[in-house]
Amino acid sequence: MAQIFGAKANTVSRWSRLGGVILLGAVGLVLWLIPRSSYVTEVGVLRTQPVPFRRKHHVGDDGFDCRYCHASVEITGLYWHFVDIVWIFLFSLLYLIERHR
């Protein structure tokens, strides 16, 4: 019976799979890095303070808890913990599905 594919077909197939794995890894890395970038998290962006009081006045004199004004920091931290847990679950699930086949 005659060969359907030439001698280079195995080499092309191996390099294509390797390229696909590298491309998939690069896309995954980009999708993991973009939400953590300073552009998205706005690290370093200066905000105007709505009430021009110093921290000493709020915390020292009045006794405010810092979380009263900065509650979004804790919520944002919990959100990113949730995102990380979802990624860990997703990758574990995909690994187990692939391993089961």
Side-chain angles (χ1 to χ4, degrees), residues 1-100:
M1 182 175 231
Q3 285 186 344
I4 296 174
F5 299 107
K8 286 185 163 184
N10 287 338
T11 305
V12 171
S13 174
R14 284 188 195 114
W15 283 105
S16 297
R17 284 185 278 164
L18 179 64
V21 167
I22 290 172
L23 180 66
L24 187 62
V27 168
L29 180 66
V30 167
L31 290 176
W32 184 76
L33 286 175
I34 285 177
R36 290 159 176 80
S37 69
S38 61
Y39 178 76
V40 174
T41 59
E42 297 182 352
V43 171
V45 175
L46 297 177
R47 304 259 184 229
T48 57
Q49 189 171 355
V51 180
F53 290 125
R54 300 214 180 273
R55 182 180 183 279
K56 180 182 178 288
H57 176 71
H58 276 292
V59 178
D61 298 339
D62 293 338
F64 285 132
D65 186 11
C66 291
R67 291 174 290 185
Y68 178 74
C69 298
H70 302 283
S72 63
V73 173
E74 288 188 20
I75 293 170
T76 303
L78 290 174
Y79 169 76
W80 285 115
H81 284 304
F82 172 75
V83 169
D84 289 337
I85 289 170
V86 168
W87 275 109
I88 290 169
F89 174 75
L90 181 66
F91 284 133
S92 301
L93 183 67
L94 292 175
Y95 174 76
L96 291 173
I97 288 172
E98 188 63 32
R99 184 145 173 117
H100 187 317

